[in-house]
Amino acid sequence: MDRKALINIIKFLALVGLIIEAMFSMALITAKIYNEKIGYFFEYWLGSIILFGLILILFRKHHMKLSIKEAILSVNLVWIMGGVLGAIPLMFLTHVSFVDGFFESVSGFTTTGATIYSDISNLPKSALMLRSVMHWIGGMGIIVLSIGLLSLINPTASLALFKSEATGITPEKITPKLKQTAMKLWQVYILITILDLILLKIEGMNWFDAINHAFATISTGGFSTKSESLGYWIHNPWILWTTTIFMLLSGINFIAHIKAMKGDFSGFKNEETKWYIGLFLVLSVALTLVHYFQSNDTLFFDATNAFFTISSILTTTGFATLDYSQWGHAAIAIIFMAMLLGGNAGSTAGGPKIIRYIVMFKNLKFQIKKFLFPNAIFSVKIDKKPISMHTINSVGAFFFLYIMTNALITLYLYASGYDTMTSLSAAIACVGNIGPGFGHVGPVDNFAFFTDTQKIVLAIGMIIGRLEFFTVLMLLSRDFWKKF
């Protein structure tokens, strides 16, 4: 690695680190408001601010232009750095080990929502705010990366941008176009967060809970301030339906939201969004009926919790109102299906993304037609526009990596002595950035019982899933490191 490339990466990491630490100041302000003890958190925070600031001052005359390889390495290092930066204050605030703090921090930044804490309600409010801030930064970060850097690194990461939205990226540098798009994304992201926050406050939450849940909802993260998650407000349908809707909105490509702000609603009319809404409605109605015929509650109560659960799992948010693992096998099958889907590309949601399933199903139809009518000319189209075989092959490769990653982690956990459902759902929940699963990692449980090594493996799974496999896999290639 030459000196210029090294400076590019260091400056990029310092810039991101400074942004993270600046946002962490919200946890310090929270501690001050509630007169909480923070250990050495302030000293650590101030030292980090000074360090990152000095790096940026030192290289202030260096014009940062990330090449493709530098971008790949930087993106990987950012998530690891975020895990470390978040782990240390969690150690000070909640007295957990570094591994536990790292797991929680990575879960926060990747918006997974899996936690090692059992008594969340009694955590210091500064720690709760810190976790929510991680979500909010990570949610916006992944949108900018997916529309910018990841669309270059991984061709399947920008599938939702078929309608000629320019990413502003060239193979050699980050252009101002991406910076302009990022600013628009931040504006919409902040606006939707504030709207959700205000509604939650009006509907019965206090300001602290409203801020934290708005951060966790719009980022599709799932960290709550209550041990019961949103089940704490189980008898407040306004809060539950508001959160259901905002989770659903956050699972839609944020470019569509930018367009909608200008009066252009075409982003909500593409195939991916239609399938996304359609699947949400079908799964929600099915879960409502299954739960209704097995419970003694009203239809409205069951529908509220069923629609909330599907919205939470489909968008990989991970909030819960009730222990849905007790709703029977049919309900578990429906929820498990939602776990495998994910939201839209270009959103804060994790998972494989709906658009990839559309591509694979259309390719299957294409292959059948090609077999039946070998001399006819067909093509795979999304929104009436043909897509290349390169894109189709990339989607196929993505699903292969998705299956293999989940299989390896599942087998590792199963070999460690855990039951099949716990092993499988823990793997899918982490790699898909969902949070809760089934078995010992169900909606009323946590991940604290795993060993340190297992927590590290699961945290790596979160990062791999969030970066959509290719970006991490490239680091294992010899060709990547040649002439770096």
Side-chain angles (χ1 to χ4, degrees):
M1 184 183 300
D2 60 35
R3 183 175 180 275
K4 184 179 179 181
L6 182 60
I7 293 176
N8 279 337
I9 294 172
I10 292 175
K11 188 173 181 179
F12 179 79
L13 293 177
L15 179 62
V16 175
L18 192 63
I19 294 171
I20 290 174
E21 293 297 348
M23 291 297 296
F24 279 3
S25 64
M26 293 185 66
L28 288 169
I29 295 171
T30 302
K32 183 68 175 177
I33 293 173
Y34 292 97
N35 296 315
E36 292 179 344
K37 295 180 180 180
I38 59 174
Y40 292 101
F41 180 17
F42 177 76
E43 289 80 359
Y44 154 77
W45 174 83
L46 184 60
S48 300
I49 289 285
I50 293 172
L51 175 62
F52 292 132
L54 288 175
I55 291 173
L56 292 176
I57 292 173
L58 179 63
F59 298 126
R60 65 186 181 280
K61 295 182 179 179
H62 177 82
H63 186 56
M64 184 178 65
K65 289 185 178 181
L66 292 174
S67 68
I68 177 66
K69 288 187 177 181
E70 293 163 12
I72 293 170
L73 184 56
S74 296
V75 167
N76 281 277
L77 291 176
V78 158
W79 295 101
I80 296 173
M81 180 183 72
V84 174
L85 293 179
I88 296 173
L90 284 175
M91 291 170 64
F92 292 137
L93 296 173
T94 63
H95 310 291
V96 295
S97 67
F98 175 78
V99 172
D100 280 348
F102 183 78
F103 178 92
E104 192 80 10
S105 181
V106 170
S107 179
F109 280 112
T110 59
T111 70
T112 301
T115 184
I116 51 89
Y117 295 112
S118 56
D119 191 6
I120 294 172
S121 298
N122 288 322
L123 286 176
K125 284 184 166 52
S126 52
L128 295 173
M129 179 60 73
L130 185 69
R131 295 161 79 239
S132 299
V133 166
M134 291 176 192
H135 270 346
W136 202 67
I137 299 171
M140 185 70 255
I142 200 61
I143 295 175
V144 174
L145 288 174
S146 65
I147 292 176
L149 295 178
L150 290 183
S151 63
L152 168 65
I153 296 169
N154 172 7
T156 71
S158 57
L159 282 172
L161 309 180
F162 279 138
K163 295 183 179 297
S164 72
E165 285 89 357
T167 63
I169 284 284
T170 68
E172 293 301 324
K173 63 181 180 179
I174 298 177
T175 67
K177 183 71 175 179
L178 175 60
K179 298 175 184 177
Q180 295 168 7
T181 302
M183 288 302 296
K184 292 178 182 178
L185 287 168
W186 270 112
Q187 292 170 6
V188 173
Y189 193 67
I190 292 172
L191 181 63
I192 296 176
T193 302
I194 292 175
L195 181 58
D196 185 27
L197 187 162
I198 292 173
L199 288 175
L200 291 175
K201 178 63 177 70
I202 292 172
E203 291 162 355
M205 284 189 181
N206 59 43
W207 281 113
F208 180 79
D209 289 333
I211 292 171
N212 281 270
H213 285 92
F215 280 7
T217 299
I218 307 308
S219 66
T220 63
F223 280 157
S224 177
T225 59
K226 306 296 182 183
S227 299
E228 307 93 325
S229 189
L230 269 289
Y232 183 85
W233 293 276
I234 190 70
H235 298 297
N236 189 327
W238 291 103
I239 287 177
L240 300 188
W241 279 105
T242 295
T243 304
T244 297
I245 292 170
F246 275 93
M247 286 191 293
L248 201 63
L249 287 173
S250 300
I252 296 175
N253 184 354
F254 268 68
I255 291 292
H257 297 319
I258 291 178
K259 286 183 172 183
M261 295 290 291
K262 300 177 181 179
D264 179 5
F265 297 95
S266 61
F268 300 122
K269 299 176 182 178
N270 58 34
E271 287 190 56
E272 183 183 26
T273 305
K274 290 178 180 178
W275 274 99
Y276 169 71
I277 299 299
L279 286 167
F280 163 72
L281 293 174
V282 169
L283 292 175
S284 296
V285 171
L287 186 60
T288 297
L289 295 176
V290 168
H291 186 41
Y292 177 68
F293 288 117
Q294 293 185 350
S295 74
N296 296 318
D297 301 313
T298 65
L299 179 61
F300 178 75
F301 182 85
D302 287 339
T304 297
N305 288 282
F307 275 70
F308 180 96
T309 298
I310 294 300
S311 180
S312 178
I313 299 301
L314 182 64
T315 62
T316 71
T317 304
F319 283 142
T321 53
L322 297 171
D323 185 3
Y324 49 72
S325 63
Q326 302 299 316
W327 292 1
H329 292 289
I332 291 175
I334 294 169
I335 296 169
F336 204 89
M337 187 182 300
M339 288 180 68
L340 298 174
L341 294 175
N344 289 6
S347 71
T348 57
K353 306 293 191 303
I354 299 296
I355 189 66
R356 291 193 176 99
Y357 284 101
I358 296 174
V359 171
M360 293 307 292
F361 277 117
K362 289 201 171 189
N363 183 46
L364 177 61
K365 184 178 179 180
F366 166 79
Q367 296 298 334
I368 293 173
K369 284 185 176 181
K370 190 176 180 181
F371 178 79
L372 295 175
F373 308 101
N375 296 323
I377 299 176
F378 301 104
S379 62
V380 177
K381 295 182 179 180
I382 301 291
D383 292 324
K384 300 180 180 180
K385 293 182 179 180
I387 59 175
S388 67
M389 287 306 299
H390 170 70
T391 299
I392 295 172
N393 291 335
S394 295
V395 173
F398 170 89
F399 274 110
F400 173 77
L401 292 172
Y402 175 76
I403 293 170
M404 288 301 297
T405 302
N406 278 299
L408 289 173
I409 295 178
T410 298
L411 291 173
Y412 166 68
L413 295 177
Y414 184 75
S416 299
Y418 300 107
D419 63 273
T420 304
M421 183 59 84
T422 296
S423 302
L424 178 60
S425 65
I428 294 175
C430 287
V431 174
N433 307 124
I434 299 164
F438 296 100
H440 295 304
V441 292
V444 296
D445 299 297
N446 58 68
F447 287 68
F449 63 88
F450 287 114
T451 66
D452 284 353
T453 303
Q454 291 161 0
K455 288 171 185 171
I456 293 296
V457 169
L458 290 171
I460 292 173
M462 295 177 202
I463 296 174
I464 292 174
R466 203 26 138 168
L467 293 179
E468 302 197 326
F469 308 98
F470 292 97
T471 312
V472 179
L473 185 65
M474 288 179 187
L475 297 182
L476 304 179
S477 171
R478 291 183 180 179
D479 292 333
F480 176 85
W481 297 102
K482 290 180 180 178
K483 296 180 182 181
F484 197 103

